[in-house]
Amino acid sequence: MIDENAYDVVVVGAGFSGLYAIHRIRQLGLRVRCFEAGDGVGGTWYWNRYPGARVDIESMQYSYSFDDGLQQEWRWPEYFSPQQDLEAYANHVADRFGLRSDIELNARVNRLAFDERANRWHVSTENGHHVTAKYIVAATGSLDAMNLPPFPGLESFGGQWYHTARWPKEGVRFDGKRVGLIGTGSTGIQATPVIAQTAEHLFVFQRTAAYSLPAYNRPTDPAYEQAWKADYPQRRAKMFGHFAASYTENDQYRSVFDYSPEERQRILEEAWSARNGLLFMRTFSDISTNLEANEIVAEFVRGKIRATVRDPKVAELLCPTTYPIGAKRICMDTGYFEAFNRDNVTLVDVRANPLAEITPTGLRTTADEYDLDIIVFATGFDAVTGSLTRMNVTGLGGLDLREKWRDGPATFLGFLVAGFPNLFMIHGPGSPGVLVQMITGGEWQVDFVTKIIEDMERSGRQRIDTAPEWEQRWNIEVEEAAKRTLYNYADSWYVGANIPGKPRIFMIYIGGFDRYIQRCTEQVANGYEGFVFDESVPAAPR
Ligand code: N01
């Protein structure tokens, strides 16, 4: 008799990678169930519906490549899509490929326990589901577990407060309200100008100034869309061979030192107004690897801030000086710096005068008190590992993933963790994750995992794992790649520095998406080198 609660594969998360994983696993003819915490699909783009939320990679490429019909028929109204369009796209994909019947919504997984004898994972959700599966695909996202620092007094606050990563679906009205926004990363920078439009007054509490580029978002030009659609297969192929999984027509850049100061200025000005977003960071080849080159570009960007913000003191405070440009994720904004020219926006320096407590009527810094009706926390995420460690995962011998990663995450190729057999992570620590275009990166990883599962099902192998020695080797590769860059110069979420007590380790493979594909592929081609198959495990009945 078939046990209805026994699946071949459980996918955790119905974000972009999770949706694609359901689709691919079904193609293998396996039984799959996906559990999703939200009451809709889209993952990051479901949860992050704060005002101004928008992707920073052009939508023609920040989209699925696996089905040409899909990419031909879908229309992106804007160059850089707002959250609403990305969520609509995720829903379209769920419908178009009939995925909903295999998705359980409102079902946050809160326990994943491996049963050694049965060789199956037990999956439990907060709302009472309990199923088992041979394989787990953890498509839990890099930026899911929100970070709400324990501000003293929050429970006493008499107004409303929100975290940007759990924004209410019905939205929030700011008109006539005094609003405090804490955090000036990508999220705070996108939310500021939108909130400022209607709030009576907006106080932006800044601890660290951020580098931000103008998004120059615009409606999609039909000719541009047509050029992409006519050339999609070739462009997608290039993306799979590109170090950032992205497509650019001009990657012919050179060292900043190959040019005179006047030429550099001209090139930077051109790049600044080229309206192509993050590509600005590739204007020169050594921006991310040479501190001196980096400082030339950083100072150019500071010059743009000074030219935009009228009050010189405010402008200076908004100029990032404590870390190299790009060592934290570069932001992209629509009118962020301009917002500080408004009478109803005040920048508060909480580096000089830290936040002391939330009070019943607002917020107190060590210097002043602010009366507020609404507080918005744009304080980021327990990134990369948080969504995995918060799920209560136990592997062989009851080993707890939090314990295993106490001194920092260890994985093999970003997919597997020794002692946690048959559990595959997508965008896990040690994978290129957030440093590449994530939809394409996720597609590739899902395909890779699906191929492993297919091989196992064909060969009758029951259990795949890796060994600590291979985790160490991979960790060294991840570390070596990071050392060649300036990423370690910033206290960012890339290195876990935003979460007190989190081990400081660069969690992402920055050796390039192309190199990563090569490394994963060669390990498999070399007879699954580094993967450990336990041949003693018999095939178990469901
Ligand atoms: O989070 P963050 P985010 N007191 O961690 C401040 C992606 N994303 O949600 O820098 C005072 O970057 C903190 O200050 P500091 C993108 O990859 C993409 O903004 O630690 N302040 C910082 O200013 C991005 O990198 C898009 O000194 C406190 C802010 O909160 C990632 O998500 C849009 C504090 C947190 O910044 C995360 O971005 C949005 C405290 N106790 C997000 N604790 C696009 O696609 C924290 N802060 C465009």
Side-chain angles (χ1 to χ4, degrees), residues 41-61:
V41 300
T44 290
W45 294 108
Y46 167 88
W47 293 106
N48 286 271
R49 49 181 75 240
Y50 60 85
R54 186 180 293 287
V55 69
D56 55 5
I57 294 170
E58 54 185 308
S59 293
M60 293 306 295
Q61 53 179 305

Side-chain angles (χ1 to χ4, degrees), residues 253-329:
Y253 50 98
R254 290 159 48 188
S255 163
V256 84
F257 303 109
D258 287 350
Y259 303 95
S260 70
E262 295 73 28
E263 282 174 323
R264 274 177 212 155
Q265 190 68 16
R266 180 185 53 74
I267 292 168
L268 282 167
E269 287 291 353
E270 272 173 23
W272 185 260
S273 48
R275 296 152 67 88
N276 57 9
L278 298 177
L279 288 182
F280 176 81
M281 285 304 290
R282 298 194 212 136
T283 308
F284 301 111
S285 57
D286 39 8
I287 300 179
S288 301
T289 51
N290 179 309
L291 268 181
E292 216 185 314
N294 185 282
E295 178 53 23
I296 289 168
V297 178
E299 188 51 24
F300 173 85
V301 174
R302 286 183 212 118
K304 292 292 178 191
I305 298 171
R306 293 184 187 112
T308 305
V309 180
R310 284 200 288 270
D311 182 328
K313 277 199 194 136
V314 176
E316 229 33 63
L317 208 50
L318 287 166
C319 282
T321 51
T322 53
Y323 64 96
I325 186 168
K328 286 186 181 191
R329 170 80 172 204

